[in-house]
Amino acid sequence: MRSTGTTRLAGVLGWPLEHTLSPAIHNAAFARLGLDAIYLAWPVPPADLEPAVAGLRALRALGANVTMPHKEAVMAHLDDVSADARAVGAVNTIALVGGRLIGHNTDVSGFRTWLIEDAGAEVAGRNVLVLGSGGAARAVVRAAAELGAGAIHIAARRTERGESLVALGGSRTKVVPWDEAGEVAGRAAIIVNATPLGTRGEEALAGATFGPGQVVVDLIYEPPSTPLIESARAAGAAAWGGLGMLVHQAGGALRIWTGQEPPLDALSGAALHAIGGRGHRSGPIP
């Protein structure tokens, strides 16, 4: 990466931000598109979020991605948010437009596009179980509802957080106790883990029964295979990690910032190269 006097900056805001694939994939895309831009990792503790966001405007940044734990809190520091971000209650992409900071959510479209086009999953009328209640879980519930899912069950360790997602899924959406998630999983056609459980070898759904015909998605993408994915595949279910969603939501952010179609092959290749180059280190990866 080389900077010039006109190089535009972009980056990811998160805390902690020890390992992130975002700089690798976005810089690969900038290079492919011939853009004079550099993407950086910006570790920002919660107490510094407001001045960090204001700095995007001061630096005339191209934009920023937002990851844990800022996806919801960042909305208070923006000039406006898109309809998707407002509906989900979370922002994962910020664009600087005419001096105004606009929040977007590309997690919804990223998950929806990957699930249908890449995984080839049929969602309409099928029961869905979502583990988690954060920004990623909110996006999954929204996408599942848009695709016409049957019943949507949300398992959250904090019930009140889970209840805040019910409106996103519609009348057939409800929260189930966390300790009953394994039982509910046996009746679900599509299961999505939107929690960090599995990054260090934990069982996200200990004791759950899987089988052929089920689709299991773990939004963790490093390590590439988690205990949830391994258990599901061993039982004959189709199972994927979160790399596909990462690539598609990153592509959505690039489209917002540049107006150009994202080179998905370059994004995917850079992500795989970065994962392979650092072995099997585990941890939450934004």
Side-chain angles (χ1 to χ4, degrees):
M1 295 183 294
R2 294 182 178 180
S3 62
T4 69
T6 58
T7 299
R8 301 288 299 278
L9 296 178
V12 56
L13 304 169
W15 185 262
L17 203 55
E18 297 173 355
H19 313 302
T20 173
L21 297 181
S22 293
I25 62 179
H26 283 284
N27 283 318
F30 289 159
R32 173 71 68 84
L33 294 172
L35 300 175
D36 184 12
I38 292 177
Y39 189 105
L40 304 169
W42 291 324
V44 175
D48 295 334
L49 180 59
E50 182 176 7
V53 172
L56 298 175
R57 192 193 330 263
L59 294 171
R60 297 176 55 83
L62 188 64
N65 288 128
V66 184
T67 189
M68 297 183 295
H70 302 320
K71 287 187 176 185
E72 297 168 58
V74 76
M75 296 177 72
H77 309 304
L78 303 175
D79 298 307
D80 199 1
V81 296
S82 69
D84 250 355
R86 192 178 305 280
V88 175
V91 163
N92 80 325
T93 300
I94 302 170
L96 182 63
V97 182
R100 303 178 73 238
L101 294 171
I102 312 299
H104 299 265
N105 190 299
T106 66
D107 284 337
V108 178
S109 60
F111 180 75
R112 183 179 62 234
T113 301
W114 171 81
L115 189 64
I116 298 302
E117 296 185 2
D118 294 357
E122 177 61 47
V123 181
R126 306 182 78 191
N127 292 346
V128 177
L129 170 64
V130 181
L131 306 179
S133 58
R138 300 178 76 87
V140 170
V141 171
R142 171 80 169 183
E146 290 178 351
L147 291 170
I152 301 175
H153 294 95
I154 301 164
R157 283 171 288 187
R158 288 192 292 165
T159 303
E160 69 282 2
R161 286 271 296 176
E163 293 289 353
S164 70
L165 277 67
V166 170
L168 290 169
S171 60
R172 300 194 65 194
T173 303
K174 69 176 183 178
V175 176
V176 298
W178 181 259
D179 58 7
E180 295 180 14
E183 178 185 348
V184 175
R187 304 191 301 271
I190 300 170
I191 301 161
V192 183
N193 177 33
T195 78
L197 291 174
T199 56
R200 293 178 173 84
E202 311 96 322
E203 286 276 0
L205 271 176
T209 300
F210 306 103
Q214 285 184 310
V215 172
V216 178
V217 183
D218 197 329
L219 296 187
I220 293 167
Y221 48 85
E222 191 174 3
S225 184
T226 63
L228 174 62
I229 293 174
E230 292 168 3
S231 296
R233 286 176 178 166
W240 290 271
L243 189 61
M245 177 182 174
L246 170 72
V247 168
H248 279 285
Q249 66 86 10
L254 280 163
R255 192 179 291 112
I256 289 169
W257 295 333
T258 69
Q260 299 189 47
E261 281 303 303
L264 295 179
D265 61 330
L267 272 66
S268 181
L272 290 170
H273 180 76
I275 290 174
R278 61 194 191 197
H280 296 288
R281 292 188 303 180
S282 63
I285 311 295

